[in-house]
Amino acid sequence: MTLFQNLSITRKLLLILMLTSGVTVLLASIAFETKDILTFRQGIVDDLSSLAEVIGINSSGALVFNDRRTAEKNLQALRAKPHVYAACLYDRGGNVFASYQRTGPGEKASLPAVRATGYFLQGGFLHLFQQIDLEQDKIGTVFIQYDLEEIRSRIWQSGGIMAGIIAVVSIVALLLSVKLQRIISEPILQLTRTARTISQEKDYSARAEKTGRDEIGVLIDGFNEMLDEIQKRDGELEQHRHHLEELVTDRTAALQKQQQELEIALNRARQLAVEAEAANHAKSEFLANMSHEIRTPMNAILGFAGLLDSAVVGDKQRSYLASISSSGKTLLTLINDILDLSKIEAGKMELHYEPVSPAGLIEEVRQIFSLKLEEKDLAFQADIDPALPPGLLLDEVRLRQVLFNLVGNAVKFTDSGRIDLSLRNMSGPGRSNVLDLLIAVEDTGIGIPQDSLADIFDVFKQQDGRTAQKYSGTGLGLAISKRLVEMMGGTISVSSRVGAGSRFEIVFHNVAVADGQPRPTQESPVLPDAVAFENATVLVADDVEDNRRLVKEFLQDTRLNVLEAEDGRQALELAANYRPDLIIMDIKMPVLDGYSALEQLKQTDGLKTVPVIAFTASGMKEDRDRITRSGFDGFLVKPVEQAVLVRELALFLRTTGTTVGGTLEDKRDVQDLPPDTVARLPEIINMLETEFQHTCKNVRQRGFFNEIGDFGKQIESLGKQYDLDLLALYGQDIQATAGSFNIDEMNRLLDRYPRLVEQVKALHPKE
Ligand code: ADP
């Protein structure tokens, strides 16, 4: 079947036509042949029956009279029929009465037993029986055996003719089929060719040719319609594609334009950012300069005012001096506030969260303001919620700044009555990890008018000229406090009634509860405020004469000889000539600044080891960091106080006297060190260079006050154990700065640690 299906249409049609005509002719021939043979056979049977009847009639007398000879004679007449093979006459009893046989020599036909009238075919012969009646009485039977050779040869003959006819018919049918199948196959083939051409050449404009209105015609019409549709769609698609291309081109152009505009905007933004950065930089620089420029003369103003304090006797003059000092200090506060504000606004203020004891902090506030409260006869009550945990994670330095400002204002603006400071845990029980903290500062002071309430948190906003004049202040404290509180994620608010008092509230949400106990606020150890120096030379390099003079004045009662230089160059020359024991170096100087002068000093033999202390008026942390990094051995910030100057020098110069109010024994020369200490110096130096150095680095990096305080304690006990004042003092200083949260000073001391080790090493007697 598959073979047939794979044939071409032409072949299929030919095959179908040939098979149909062949089978038709064959069947017709078989039917005709069958009919012919049957008719022919019936003719033979009829002939033989007539012949048997004639023989019967002729032989009835012979049967009746038992005349076998006549009977046999009658049978001999059958000789004329060449296909009669044998014949016989049966008598009434069925016995052969007479017989005839056309036999060849030696042949003997076997005669069958008698039967009723009729015939049957057997062994290639037709056997016929005919009963002989006389006056309706059976007297015998005629039997004839007929040879069917005649029929067989007729069949062969007709078969040959039929085969001839079929062959002729087939040839004619083939010729006709070849011709006629084209009527059907040709249009289909043409359609196929058209379809192939279209699919190969993608030419949808081609059409199949229509040959008639029959089914193939309809098929061709359908095919052509389909092509029309495809062509139409093609056209539409082409149009769409074209449209899309146009669209893409348009959009690309628009995008390019947008990109160009964006680039222009971006460049502009970059330029603006650069300008803003430059402006910001300029602002920071301006602030730094301003701070520097104001601090420098303030150094002289406050310093000399301090010196004059003991010299002046009259009350009036003393009050003038007090005014100078307090105005100077206000000016310094203003500068610090402005620097803080600019740092906050430039996003440079960083927060450091650490465990803070609320109770400790409040106690600190009480101590700081105790004198003022006493002076003004104000009651102070601190109320701490017992539900508050002992430690909270907060930025202690900044929180203290805010509290100092609020309580400071309360003290300032309250003439009589009380000040209440309370801390509340606003979270319900159950939340043990975090809580909401409320801090309230309430006073019975002058109060704030309603119309001022909204803007007292703005910069430079004070109630009005009258109160500002009376109470002084910068008008920045609350602005800074608000920003700091908000930086820490809190809110600050105020409610007040003129004449009745004010209440400031700070709320911090989700304050983390600190693990363990925070470091208790330490009592600052009593620090030596005057030292008896041994004879030594100190060089002061500063371009401002007042500053040099001030240092000289501060040190005039000591055994220190002060040399003065106006700039870095002069400082180098003087240092080379006089080999001072210590140099105090201003940073900003004409000709050669402090950094460059230091660099050259550290490269000059014989001057390398002279300690150099930076004398800076800059309040900027960056400048202080730079000073520390540059290799200065210490630094003093203008305006400097006498005690601070002396203490700093005492760290580097030999002293012989007792520290005034000091807690330490005299410092000693190396010769005075107990022999045991001298013997153990290598061991001590080793400890200082390994485990202590490691701890120092660690605590400096982590910046936890309690750890730094502990480190100070360890150094102090090491110093005391081996009678090394140098170490004991250093340890105490560290504890003091950590205890008072003086971060800058504390870090400076920690950074000075390597220098301390060098100093201890220098105590080792040279061989
Ligand atoms: P300063 O106190 O330096 O003037 P602040 O920013 O701290 O600046 O305060 C701004 C102003 O808010 C103050 O000048 C004062 O008028 C008002 N103020 C602040 N706290 C109080 C207070 N407790 N009682 C009355 N007025 C206050």
Side-chain angles (χ1 to χ4, degrees):
M1 203 61 189
T2 339
L3 205 66
F4 179 77
Q5 277 171 347
N6 290 340
L7 285 178
S8 70
I9 280 227
T10 315
R11 301 242 157 129
K12 269 183 201 151
L13 275 173
L14 266 180
L15 209 64
I16 290 167
L17 286 170
M18 290 303 294
L19 271 174
T20 316
S21 54
V23 168
T24 312
V25 172
L26 188 68
L27 287 176
S29 304
I30 289 170
F32 179 76
E33 174 89 356
T34 309
K35 172 93 176 38
D36 181 50
I37 296 298
L38 288 176
T39 312
F40 184 66
R41 196 181 70 185
Q42 195 55 48
I44 289 173
V45 170
D46 291 347
D47 275 0
L48 285 181
S49 295
S50 309
L51 193 61
E53 262 180 50
V54 170
I55 291 173
I57 292 167
N58 287 342
S59 304
S60 54
L63 276 170
V64 173
F65 296 108
N66 201 20
D67 179 2
R68 288 183 191 262
R69 269 193 60 143
T70 308
E72 289 212 349
K73 224 169 124 188
N74 286 341
L75 286 176
Q76 285 301 322
L78 287 172
R79 266 183 213 288
K81 293 278 182 191
H83 290 292
V84 174
Y85 179 70
C88 72
L89 272 174
Y90 298 95
D91 58 14
R92 187 175 288 142
N95 302 312
V96 176
F97 179 70
S99 66
Y100 158 77
Q101 188 171 2
R102 180 183 55 85
T103 52
E107 272 183 40
K108 179 109 173 100
S110 59
L111 297 171
V114 71
R115 293 190 190 193
T117 303
Y119 69 92
F120 65 92
L121 301 173
Q122 192 181 40
F125 294 95
L126 188 138
H127 299 85
L128 183 121
F129 292 89
Q130 181 67 50
Q131 192 174 296
I132 307 166
D133 294 327
L134 186 68
E135 292 173 2
Q136 285 159 16
D137 200 13
K138 178 186 167 184
I139 56 168
T141 302
V142 178
F143 166 72
I144 298 172
Q145 186 179 2
Y146 190 82
D147 180 358
L148 288 176
E149 181 54 40
E150 195 183 4
I151 292 181
R152 274 197 294 278
S153 66
R154 192 179 177 95
I155 288 172
W156 278 114
Q157 201 178 8
S158 318
I161 292 167
M162 232 154 51
I165 291 170
I166 288 173
V168 172
V169 166
S170 295
I171 288 164
V172 173
L174 182 68
L175 291 174
L176 277 175
S177 301
V178 168
K179 261 263 179 265
L180 294 178
Q181 57 85 26
R182 288 210 184 119
I183 298 170
I184 292 171
S185 68
E186 194 48 42
I188 294 176
L189 287 175
Q190 195 217 332
L191 189 65
T192 316
R193 279 195 295 273
T194 313
R196 194 173 297 137
T197 314
I198 289 168
S199 80
Q200 279 170 357
E201 294 172 12
K202 309 276 180 254
D203 173 15
Y204 296 102
S205 61
R207 293 289 178 273
E209 212 175 295
K210 196 175 167 184
T211 47
R213 289 211 212 121
D214 55 1
E215 285 84 346
I216 295 175
V218 174
L219 182 68
I220 289 172
D221 276 348
F223 181 74
N224 285 340
E225 271 168 27
M226 198 175 75
L227 284 176
D228 285 346
E229 193 63 25
I230 290 176
Q231 207 177 4
K232 199 172 131 215
R233 292 270 166 96
D234 238 21
E236 283 173 5
L237 268 177
E238 178 64 20
Q239 248 179 348
H240 273 303
R241 198 177 57 81
H242 190 66
H243 180 63
L244 267 178
E245 269 174 14
E246 274 177 1
L247 218 66
V248 168
T249 315
D250 287 354
R251 293 270 160 91
T252 312
L255 266 175
Q256 273 170 350
K257 199 168 155 232
Q258 269 179 2
Q259 205 175 345
Q260 277 169 357
E261 284 169 3
L262 255 175
E263 256 166 42
I264 292 170
L266 207 66
N267 284 339
R268 178 87 194 110
R270 277 199 203 111
Q271 202 184 332
L272 282 175
V274 170
E275 282 168 13
E277 176 79 1
N280 212 8
H281 190 73
K283 183 179 148 198
S284 299
E285 210 164 325
F286 167 74
L287 283 172
N289 282 338
M290 191 188 75
S291 146
H292 185 271
E293 295 312 323
I294 296 175
R295 273 167 188 275
T296 305
M298 283 320 288
N299 189 40
I301 296 171
L302 290 177
F304 285 120
L307 282 176
L308 273 179
D309 197 42
S310 50
V312 168
V313 277
D315 279 351
K316 209 170 176 187
Q317 283 85 341
R318 271 179 176 277
S319 81
Y320 294 160
L321 264 185
S323 287
I324 294 174
S325 288
S326 101
S327 305
K329 280 178 184 156
T330 308
L331 199 54
L332 276 182
T333 317
L334 176 68
I335 292 166
N336 288 338
D337 282 355
I338 291 176
L339 282 177
D340 267 357
L341 204 63
S342 81
K343 245 193 249 172
I344 294 172
E345 284 180 352
K348 285 186 182 162
M349 177 80 80
E350 284 171 13
L351 296 176
H352 301 280
Y353 286 89
E354 57 190 317
V356 175
S357 153
L361 201 58
I362 290 202
E363 190 45 40
E364 216 180 307
V365 172
R366 184 209 294 277
Q367 275 181 18
I368 293 285
F369 290 100
S370 58
L371 215 67
K372 276 262 171 65
L373 291 165
E374 225 170 276
E375 268 174 22
K376 296 183 89 171
D377 197 19
L378 297 173
F380 179 86
Q381 184 168 345
D383 176 19
I384 304 173
D385 191 341
L388 272 178
L392 294 172
L393 273 189
L394 292 163
D395 184 321
E396 183 163 9
V397 175
R398 299 302 160 201
L399 185 60
R400 182 185 294 110
Q401 188 175 350
V402 174
L403 280 184
F404 280 10
N405 180 248
L406 293 186
V407 177
N409 278 348
V411 175
K412 187 161 68 175
F413 295 107
T414 307
D415 295 326
S416 64
R418 53 185 301 106
I419 289 158
D420 291 332
L421 173 56
S422 59
L423 264 69
R424 295 251 153 277
N425 178 359
M426 287 164 62
S427 312
R431 293 171 71 203
S432 55
N433 289 343
V434 286
L435 55 85
D436 295 339
L437 177 69
L438 167 81
I439 303 173
V441 179
E442 197 165 356
D443 62 54
T444 54
I446 60 169
I448 307 161
Q450 289 301 309
D451 55 354
S452 300
L453 278 181
D455 52 26
I456 54 164
F457 293 106
D458 293 345
V459 284
F460 295 121
K461 280 287 161 70
Q462 293 173 312
Q463 274 188 46
D464 57 39
R466 186 178 52 80
T467 52
Q469 267 164 26
K470 182 178 171 195
Y471 296 101
S472 81
T474 61
L476 286 175
L478 285 180
I480 293 173
S481 296
K482 183 172 194 285
R483 284 164 173 74
L484 286 177
V485 167
E486 283 170 358
M487 267 178 74
M488 291 187 269
T491 51
I492 184 166
S493 59
V494 60
S495 55
S496 181
R497 231 162 18 99
V498 176
S502 315
R503 179 181 166 87
F504 284 84
E505 275 191 8
I506 298 171
V507 177
F508 291 116
H509 292 287
N510 298 324
V511 178
V513 173
D515 291 338
Q517 216 52 22
R519 176 196 46 73
T521 314
Q522 288 182 350
E523 287 274 313
S524 304
V526 183
L527 298 172
D529 53 17
V531 176
F533 290 106
E534 282 186 7
N535 284 336
T537 304
V538 173
L539 170 63
V540 184
D542 198 312
D543 55 325
V544 179
E545 196 197 344
D546 284 344
N547 287 340
R548 300 196 302 267
R549 262 184 51 216
L550 186 69
V551 173
K552 216 168 172 175
E553 292 291 338
F554 278 163
L555 301 178
Q556 78 170 349
D557 292 335
T558 65
R559 287 157 73 183
L560 298 177
N561 173 33
V562 179
L563 298 173
E564 292 179 49
E566 286 176 20
D567 56 53
R569 170 91 36 241
Q570 238 181 50
L572 287 175
E573 285 165 11
L574 285 177
N577 290 337
Y578 293 94
R579 309 258 155 190
D581 297 286
L582 184 140
I583 300 171
I584 298 174
M585 180 88 77
D586 183 22
I587 298 295
K588 275 193 180 177
M589 283 186 293
V591 189
L592 193 67
D593 70 8
Y595 293 121
S596 314
L598 175 80
E599 214 178 297
Q600 294 193 25
L601 275 173
K602 294 291 174 193
Q603 284 166 5
T604 313
D605 285 339
L607 295 176
K608 273 183 200 161
T609 51
V610 177
V612 185
I613 294 170
F615 195 25
T616 174
S618 170
M620 306 289 280
K621 186 172 177 293
E622 300 78 55
D623 289 338
R624 295 189 189 186
D625 287 348
R626 186 172 168 205
I627 287 169
T628 316
R629 279 199 312 272
S630 305
F632 280 99
D633 299 284
F635 75 76
L636 289 166
V637 181
K638 294 173 197 169
V640 69
E641 284 174 29
Q642 187 176 22
V644 177
L645 173 75
V646 169
R647 281 185 45 67
E648 184 68 20
L649 297 193
L651 289 171
F652 302 96
L653 299 174
R654 289 208 174 138
T655 55
T656 51
T658 313
T659 55
V660 176
T663 55
L664 293 168
E665 293 171 30
D666 296 355
K667 283 183 159 193
R668 295 165 209 212
D669 281 346
V670 66
Q671 289 84 353
D672 297 338
L673 287 175
D676 186 38
T677 304
V678 176
R680 300 192 71 167
L681 264 179
E683 190 189 323
I684 297 166
I685 292 166
N686 181 38
M687 276 198 292
L688 288 174
E689 281 185 328
T690 53
E691 51 188 286
F692 278 95
Q693 186 153 328
H694 183 69
T695 316
C696 177
K697 211 171 141 197
N698 257 349
V699 296
R700 168 80 168 93
Q701 264 172 7
R702 288 160 59 87
F704 290 134
F705 290 111
N706 55 341
E707 289 180 4
I708 293 169
D710 287 348
F711 171 67
K713 215 179 258 172
Q714 285 170 21
I715 294 271
E716 187 195 349
S717 49
L718 188 76
K720 282 186 171 164
Q721 187 185 346
Y722 294 106
D723 237 349
L724 279 166
D725 296 349
L726 202 62
L727 291 183
L729 263 176
Y730 178 82
Q732 280 189 351
D733 280 354
I734 296 248
Q735 289 176 72
T737 52
S740 60
F741 308 103
N742 187 345
I743 300 176
D744 287 345
E745 185 62 16
M746 184 180 77
N747 285 341
R748 192 181 70 77
L749 276 173
L750 288 173
D751 291 339
R752 222 176 59 74
Y753 180 82
R755 166 89 199 156
L756 176 84
V757 180
E758 288 308 312
Q759 281 175 308
V760 176
K761 274 180 170 174
L763 293 176
H764 202 270
K766 309 263 177 305
E767 263 99 74

